């Protein structure tokens, strides 16, 4: 164990984490010239295009230092706030962390929140200043920020350029000298932490784990503590660029286990593996169920594709256990699924993967958060969908989820960001100047207000400089109402939303105006109304397309024309009774981008 080091890399999006991992792999000779490609550990096309790590990876490297061979286990972490639970489990499996900061941008919100996670887990932290080859790098200024944040000395901060490979050897030496080796008793009962899992279509779910105590051998009979399921370890091994089977793994090792598990729900990130015959006394702390924060309906554009959509979602769920879905039906859109996501980025990724990997055309409804509704009968109902709201006279009060948000920005944008957050019913908690021109703002915000367009607006009002991080704090009472959109008196359930009373009138009016532009004209008038309960708060009318039936009557008696107009009027009346309004897909998408 003295020659093993387990570490992770924590950084904000686009600070060069994946590129640094590439250079470490090349320097240690873990990957040959032929297999190498940029962002090697990001194996999804989506990850390469967006420049973010969606699925964390682990890889083992070997490095010669002072004529001795050291084993370095890199446990990668996703870089977005939506995946903070996965980050926390990856951090729990390590003894050290490389804190990567972009020398051109300085410290960002995600850097700070992941750093606090690492400090809570008592990790040895090595600060690294990346992108030193850039002409606009600010090494002195950013080093001062790191020193203020960590309380370390300036000479402990390593200056590297992951792109050119400059300074990579100093990083490897620091990993060996400044990160402590793993501690643990290999003769104690087995205690291993699952920090990730992947699905293989031939071998089932493969779980990645880190052993804290004890040892595991091939064909051992093991138990997963949280799910209380028992399995035979058909194959265990370490993670190189490919899986390398081993007969025994001991305390301090990072590896994988294959035991023919078919169901993704049976492998939970954060769970503990132990032996059935000689189990450990305590499970590893920190395990939690991953709860979705955001709910939206996903419907196939073509109703015949419903079963295909179900199988696509099931296959996605094998690779991404945090996705939840259940069937639901809508009068406007037919049969589909109510899906739960970790956040807006997660939702966007799932939509993108459905399109790319499974060729599915889908309509996504307005995203909602989960509300707690207290009824007059003293019951508490979790409502994920406006159509699940009980009648108004049965509701005592409604509570909505609030988040604690940290925004780091340049001082010149403070006014516009404050206005944005206060418009979203936020409360300013604190403001701290990190340097003379960088400030950290903390807000209490309702989660329901940030699911639409908050992130886009924040980026545009700060010219892309503000970084944003949040975590769920608690539920608070709120005056919410269900806003329905009626077309010719019929409610379109897919367009209904739960909204705060103060925003309802304005939002309803904008919805009606937008739908008037998008719904094509029919042979009869279409009334578009926004309603709260039985009260109509806004209305627009799409005028009928009128055929000129009197064109052939030139001259002659007026009664001839009137007879034709009366005949047309009767036909229109009959059409209005039996005609239905088709809502185009662009209308559902427009609701998301109403501003």
């Amino acid at each position: 164990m003295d020659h093993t080091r387990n570490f992770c890399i924590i950084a904000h999006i686009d600070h060069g984490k994946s590129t640094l991992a590439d250079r470490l792999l090349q320097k240690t000779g873990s990957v040959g010239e032929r297999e190498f490609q940029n962002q090697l550990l990001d194996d999804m096309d989506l990850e390469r295009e967006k420049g973010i790590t969606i699925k964390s990876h682990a890889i083992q490297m070997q490095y010669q230092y002072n004529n001795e061979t050291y084993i370095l286990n890199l446990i990668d972490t996703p870089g977005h706030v939506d995946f903070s639970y996965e980050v926390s489990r990856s951090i729990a499996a390590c003894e050290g962390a490389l804190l990567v900061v972009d020398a051109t941008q300085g410290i960002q919100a995600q850097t700070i929140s992941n750093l606090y996670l690492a400090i809570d887990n008592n990790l040895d932290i090595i600060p690294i200043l990346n992108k030193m080859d850039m002409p606009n790098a600010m090494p002195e200024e950013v080093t001062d920020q790191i020193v203020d944040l960590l309380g370390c000395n300036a000479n402990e901060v390593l200056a590297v350029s992951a792109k050119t490979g400059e300074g990579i050897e100093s990083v490897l030496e620091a990993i060996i000298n400044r990160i402590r080796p793993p501690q643990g008793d290999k003769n104690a009962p087995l205690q291993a932490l699952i920090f990730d899992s992947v699905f293989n279509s031939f071998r089932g779910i493969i779980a990645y784990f880190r052993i804290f105590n004890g040892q595991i051998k091939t064909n051992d009979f093991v138990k997963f503590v949280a799910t209380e399921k028992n399995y035979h370890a058909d194959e265990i091994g370490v993670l190189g660029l490919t899986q390398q089977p081993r007969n025994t793994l001991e305390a301090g090792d990072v590896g994988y286990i294959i035991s023919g598990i078919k169901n993704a729900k049976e492998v939970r990130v954060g769970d503990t593996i132990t032996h059935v015959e000689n189990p450990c006394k305590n499970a590893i702390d920190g395990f939690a169920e991953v709860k979705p924060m955001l709910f939206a309906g996903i419907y196939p554009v073509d109703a015949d594709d419903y079963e295909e959509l179900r199988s696509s979602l099931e296959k996605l769920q094998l690779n991404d256990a945090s996705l939840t879905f259940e069937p639901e039906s809508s009068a406007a859109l037919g049969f589909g699924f109510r899906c739960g996501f970790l956040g807006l980025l997660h939702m966007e990724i799932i939509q993108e993967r459905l399109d790319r990997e499974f060729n599915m055309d889908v309509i996504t409804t307005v995203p909602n958060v989960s509300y707690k509704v207290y009824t007059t009968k003293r019951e508490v109902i979790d409502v994920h969908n406006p159509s699940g709201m009980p009648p108004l006279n049965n509701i005592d009060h409604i509570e909505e989820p609030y988040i604690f948000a940290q925004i780091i920005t340049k001082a010149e944008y403070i006014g516009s960001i404050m206005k944005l957050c206060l418009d979203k019913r936020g409360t300013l908690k604190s403001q701290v100047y990190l340097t003379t021109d960088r400030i950290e703002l903390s807000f209490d915000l309702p989660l329901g207000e940030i699911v639409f367009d908050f992130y886009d607006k924040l980026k545009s009002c700060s010219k892309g400089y503000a970084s944003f991080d949040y975590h769920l704090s608690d539920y608070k009472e709120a005056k919410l109402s269900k806003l329905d959109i009626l077309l010719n008196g019929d409610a379109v359930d897919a367009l209904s939303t739960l909204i705060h009373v103060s925003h309802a009138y304005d939002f309803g009016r904008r919805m009606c105006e937008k739908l008037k532009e998008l719904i094509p004209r029919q042979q009869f008038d279409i009334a578009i109304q926004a309603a709260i309960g039985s009260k109509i708060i806004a209305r627009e009318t799409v005028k009928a397309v009128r055929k000129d039936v009197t064109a052939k009557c030139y001259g002659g008696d007026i009664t001839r024309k009137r007879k034709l107009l009366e005949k047309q009027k009767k036909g229109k009346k009959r059409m209005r009774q039996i005609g239905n309004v088709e809502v185009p897909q662009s209308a559902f998408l427009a609701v998301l981008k109403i501003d």
Side-chain angles (χ1 to χ4, degrees):
M1 289 202 302
D2 292 344
H3 286 67
T4 302
R5 300 288 183 273
N6 298 324
F7 69 99
C8 61
I9 305 177
I10 50 180
H12 190 77
I13 297 169
D14 214 20
H15 278 204
K17 182 160 63 77
S18 298
T19 313
L20 179 65
D22 288 350
R23 293 299 155 270
L24 292 174
L25 289 169
Q26 281 182 309
K27 197 77 186 167
T28 55
S30 307
V31 52
E33 289 293 319
R34 292 177 67 180
E35 294 106 24
F36 180 75
Q37 55 174 334
N38 284 333
Q39 288 163 272
L40 185 72
L41 295 182
D42 296 345
D43 50 11
M44 265 188 255
D45 291 342
L46 253 179
E47 292 180 308
R48 293 208 167 92
E49 282 165 30
K50 288 181 179 285
I52 54 174
T53 303
I54 295 166
K55 188 99 179 99
S56 62
H57 290 264
I59 193 160
Q60 188 178 94
M61 301 175 272
Q62 291 191 353
Y63 185 58
Q64 290 282 343
Y65 180 67
N66 288 349
N67 296 327
E68 294 187 31
T69 304
Y70 285 85
I71 290 173
L72 312 179
N73 288 311
L74 164 60
I75 297 173
D76 198 10
T77 58
H80 195 274
V81 56
D82 284 3
F83 307 112
S84 54
Y85 176 67
E86 281 95 327
V87 175
S88 77
R89 295 302 82 207
S90 293
I91 285 174
C94 300
E95 276 81 32
L98 308 182
L99 177 74
V100 179
V101 181
D102 186 336
T104 63
Q105 292 183 39
I107 284 170
Q108 306 277 322
Q110 199 62 43
T111 320
I112 290 185
S113 75
N114 285 349
L115 174 67
Y116 288 158
L117 274 176
I119 291 172
D120 287 347
N121 280 286
N122 194 22
L123 264 60
D124 299 324
I125 290 157
I126 301 173
I128 293 175
L129 206 53
N130 192 17
K131 304 197 183 178
M132 289 296 286
D133 59 312
M134 302 282 275
N136 59 339
M138 312 173 289
E140 291 85 7
E141 194 179 317
V142 180
T143 303
D144 289 346
Q145 290 177 22
I146 295 172
V147 170
D148 284 348
L149 185 67
L150 278 176
C152 61
N153 296 325
N155 58 3
E156 290 176 28
V157 181
L158 304 177
V160 307
S161 164
K163 190 175 177 185
T164 62
E166 169 199 339
I168 297 299
E169 275 187 359
S170 63
V171 174
L172 287 162
E173 286 171 19
I175 291 169
I176 291 166
N177 295 325
R178 285 159 63 178
I179 294 176
R180 63 187 184 275
Q183 305 295 314
D185 179 0
K186 64 179 181 185
N187 299 318
L190 175 67
Q191 190 185 37
L193 170 75
I194 298 176
F195 61 83
D196 195 16
S197 65
V198 292
F199 176 71
N200 181 307
S201 46
F202 298 107
R203 312 208 59 180
I205 308 277
I206 302 171
Y208 295 167
F209 61 84
R210 148 78 202 272
I211 303 177
F212 283 94
N213 288 307
Q215 48 183 297
I216 183 170
K217 294 186 171 72
T218 310
N219 294 326
D220 276 0
F221 197 34
V222 295
K223 177 169 97 171
F224 289 20
V225 176
T227 53
E228 297 184 341
K229 302 258 191 212
N230 300 341
Y231 305 102
H232 282 286
D234 298 337
E235 184 185 305
I236 57 169
V238 295
L239 295 148
L241 203 56
T242 54
Q243 288 157 356
Q244 297 162 6
R246 297 278 189 275
N247 289 326
T248 310
L249 292 176
E250 296 181 345
D253 285 337
V254 173
Y256 68 91
I257 177 170
I258 299 177
S259 43
I261 302 169
K262 304 282 192 299
N263 186 352
K265 290 195 174 70
E266 291 177 23
V267 180
R268 302 267 176 82
V269 171
D271 196 357
T272 306
I273 304 176
T274 188
H275 281 127
V276 174
E277 273 102 44
N278 183 18
C280 57
K281 289 193 177 70
N282 303 318
I284 295 162
D285 290 342
F287 173 71
E289 293 281 342
V290 183
K291 289 194 175 65
M293 307 262 280
L294 198 67
F295 297 87
I298 289 186
Y299 294 84
V301 170
D302 184 355
D304 297 343
D305 293 341
Y306 174 72
E307 283 304 325
E308 209 173 310
L309 178 60
R310 181 200 291 276
S311 74
S312 303
L313 284 169
E314 281 169 355
K315 285 173 189 162
L316 267 184
Q317 198 178 37
L318 290 171
N319 278 315
D320 184 353
S322 48
L323 168 70
T324 60
F325 65 92
E326 55 187 43
E328 74 164 1
S329 64
S330 148
L333 298 169
F335 291 104
F337 297 93
R338 188 98 198 139
C339 299
F341 307 100
L342 297 174
L344 277 175
L345 176 86
H346 190 213
M347 176 169 133
E348 196 184 314
I349 287 163
I350 295 293
Q351 278 174 276
E352 191 82 30
R353 287 183 71 182
L354 280 172
D355 180 37
R356 289 182 184 207
E357 295 172 26
F358 303 101
N359 232 352
M360 290 299 305
D361 272 344
V362 293
I363 297 173
T364 309
T365 63
V366 185
N368 283 104
V369 296
S370 172
Y371 297 96
K372 287 188 188 300
V373 177
Y374 291 79
T375 63
T376 46
K377 294 177 181 171
R378 304 274 172 90
E379 295 172 332
V380 184
I381 305 168
D382 278 337
V383 174
H384 308 316
N385 187 350
S387 59
M389 282 282 278
L392 273 175
N393 53 352
N394 292 355
I395 296 173
D396 181 47
H397 67 276
I398 302 173
E399 288 186 353
E400 65 173 337
Y402 268 69
I403 58 164
F404 181 71
Q406 288 168 296
I407 296 168
I408 295 180
T409 181
K410 287 195 167 181
E412 62 202 79
Y413 306 119
I414 184 171
S416 53
I417 288 174
M418 276 198 175
K419 182 181 183 304
L420 170 67
C421 293
L422 296 174
D423 287 349
K424 297 281 188 187
R425 298 190 285 126
T427 318
L428 180 67
K429 285 292 180 191
S430 69
Q431 54 184 53
V432 181
Y433 276 89
L434 301 171
T435 62
T436 48
D437 69 333
R438 285 167 67 79
I439 186 167
E440 180 185 359
L441 301 168
S442 303
F443 285 93
D444 257 354
L445 280 162
L447 181 61
E449 292 284 344
I450 70 159
V451 298
F452 278 131
D453 50 8
F454 178 80
Y455 201 63
D456 296 346
K457 282 184 172 175
L458 179 70
K459 285 292 180 195
S460 56
C461 75
S462 68
K463 299 190 178 157
Y465 273 108
S467 60
F468 173 64
D469 178 60
Y470 66 87
H471 56 263
L472 200 63
S473 53
D474 59 354
Y475 280 78
K476 293 183 186 173
E477 193 173 330
K479 288 188 73 176
L480 298 167
S481 52
K482 182 185 172 192
L483 181 75
D484 285 317
I485 300 294
L486 312 175
L487 296 181
N488 277 352
D490 295 331
V492 182
D493 54 357
L495 290 176
S496 59
T497 50
L498 284 169
I499 194 164
H500 195 261
V501 173
S502 61
H503 297 339
Y505 172 74
D506 185 41
F507 187 73
R509 200 187 72 246
R510 290 200 317 240
M511 282 271 275
C512 290
E513 286 167 2
K514 195 83 178 173
L515 287 170
K516 184 183 177 182
E517 294 167 21
L518 293 164
I519 291 177
R521 291 171 71 186
Q522 315 270 348
Q523 296 279 336
F524 52 92
D525 282 1
I526 302 169
I528 303 168
Q529 295 165 309
I532 294 176
S534 54
K535 184 182 174 189
I536 305 292
I537 57 169
R539 171 178 171 136
E540 294 285 339
T541 309
V542 179
K543 298 305 283 179
V545 183
R546 183 165 167 266
K547 185 182 174 189
D548 191 359
V549 287
T550 59
K552 63 185 181 202
C553 301
Y554 42 92
D557 193 1
I558 185 72
T559 52
R560 288 179 62 206
K561 287 186 179 179
R562 193 159 291 148
K563 184 177 158 192
L564 288 167
L565 287 168
E566 287 297 323
K567 190 177 173 188
Q568 184 188 35
K569 200 169 167 186
K570 272 185 193 163
K572 291 251 192 231
K573 188 178 173 187
R574 192 164 65 247
M575 195 181 285
R576 189 177 304 120
Q577 286 165 353
I578 60 166
N580 60 353
V581 185
E582 286 289 315
V583 184
Q585 187 184 347
S586 55
F588 296 105
L589 300 175
V591 175
L592 298 175
K593 301 182 176 69
I594 198 144
D595 286 339

